[in-house]
Amino acid sequence: MDFRKKDFIEYTEKSSPANCLAFILLGIVAQNLLIKVFVMLAGIGNDESKMLYSMPIQLFSTLGMIVVLIIYCRKVEKRSIRGTGVECNAKSGLGYIKGLIIGMIMFSACMIIAYLTHSAIYVGKHYKGHETYLLIMFVGFLIQGMSEEIMVRGTLMPTIASKKGILKAIIMSSLFFAILHLGNNGITLLAFINLTLFGIFAALYYYHEGSLFGIGAFHGMWNFVQGNLYGLSVSGINSGASILKFLMSAKSSRKIITGGIFGIEGSIECTIVMCIGIAYLFVKERHNLISDVK
């Protein structure tokens, strides 16, 4: 959609931040219910041989959030499919592919910095016997990435923007995104800052593209590459088997580069990469952003 002030407010004038947050909570409930259903169907229980699939189940359960929030946008806010940011067409398909590529490149840039500073040590290949699991994780992360983008950038950000304006909406929704991760293992101040920067980047990406498909693909690929290509923690969470395996330096003096337990998203290289991405998108959209403020 043409994500400028006129259309932006038109799609959200019938909603309120309170209603939006209420449906986000409902989405979390639906997500947790799906986890129980998937666990039951998979017959995991206390079977340790099947515990490997607990992470994919959590990823696929985010379908609950997607369904609840699309219903909210369509039935409560009365948005069109185009207005929800998930209209399917050739342009959104190309945007999805571009998002996958950019997500891989940007996270790999973080990894290259860590490797060149000797903070990341290559151990070797790690995928044999886990091909099916890796494929499942790839699809799962794409679903999970899209669910978070629909929740924060597709639902919450436009709702706030209709009341507070686009710049405040970008900042507030990005802080909300970072707050969602406060319970993750190993969270630090730098990690929180980087999560906020990721949110700002994602918001500008959506603003620039006018579709959630691109940033949804970016988000999913960013997480998959991090956890299942390079074998690192994803926001403090171990995602299991990976194609390659890197170990981060355990030296406390390198924590600013390694991100510690939280992973590379809590590192200074992530800060650098996100700031470059934000600067690029802001320069591309500065006239429209300024116009929207006015």
Side-chain angles (χ1 to χ4, degrees), residues 19 31 35 52 63 71 78 91 102-103 113 124 177 241 271:
N19 288 339
Q31 192 171 307
I35 289 176
L52 175 68
L63 283 166
I71 290 173
K78 305 298 182 182
K91 184 179 178 181
I102 295 174
I113 296 172
F177 175 74
T271 311

Side-chain angles (χ1 to χ4, degrees), residues 3-6 9 165-167 207 282 285-294:
F3 208 60
R4 303 295 179 259
K5 186 172 184 180
K6 184 177 179 181
I9 293 176
I166 182 61
L167 289 181
Y207 187 91
F282 183 81
E285 291 293 337
R286 65 188 185 280
H287 296 302
N288 292 319
L289 287 166
I290 293 170
S291 175
D292 276 350
V293 172
K294 292 179 181 180

Side-chain angles (χ1 to χ4, degrees), residues 97-236:
I97 294 170
K98 183 170 75 171
L100 292 175
I101 295 170
I102 295 174
M104 176 176 282
I105 290 172
M106 286 185 66
F107 187 83
S108 294
C110 296
M111 200 64 208
I112 289 170
I113 296 172
Y115 185 75
L116 292 177
T117 56
H118 304 290
S119 296
I121 303 166
Y122 176 62
V123 177
K125 297 177 182 178
H126 196 244
Y127 65 87
K128 289 186 178 180
H130 298 290
E131 292 85 355
T132 301
Y133 176 82
L134 291 169
L135 179 60
I136 292 171
M137 287 297 288
F138 178 68
V139 176
F141 269 127
L142 293 183
I143 294 171
Q144 179 263 342
M146 181 60 82
S147 76
E148 290 193 0
E149 292 311 316
I150 289 174
M151 174 175 60
V152 182
R153 261 63 70 174
T155 303
L156 183 61
M157 189 177 81
T159 301
I160 296 173
S162 68
K163 311 297 181 184
K164 302 290 185 180
I166 182 61
L167 289 181
K168 287 184 180 178
I170 289 173
I171 299 300
M172 292 172 71
S173 63
S174 298
L175 285 170
F176 176 80
F177 175 74
I179 289 169
L180 289 175
H181 295 78
L182 282 178
N184 288 30
N185 193 24
I187 187 79
T188 63
L189 176 60
L190 183 56
F192 184 86
I193 291 170
N194 286 345
L195 288 166
T196 304
L197 291 174
F198 185 100
I200 294 171
F201 170 82
L204 290 174
Y205 196 111
Y206 179 29
Y207 187 91
H208 178 65
E209 293 287 315
S211 169
L212 286 172
F213 281 104
I215 190 56
F218 175 98
H219 194 151
M221 181 60 87
W222 172 279
N223 286 345
F224 176 78
V225 168
Q226 186 174 183
N228 299 105
L229 175 58
Y230 296 121
L232 306 175
S233 293
V234 182
S235 301

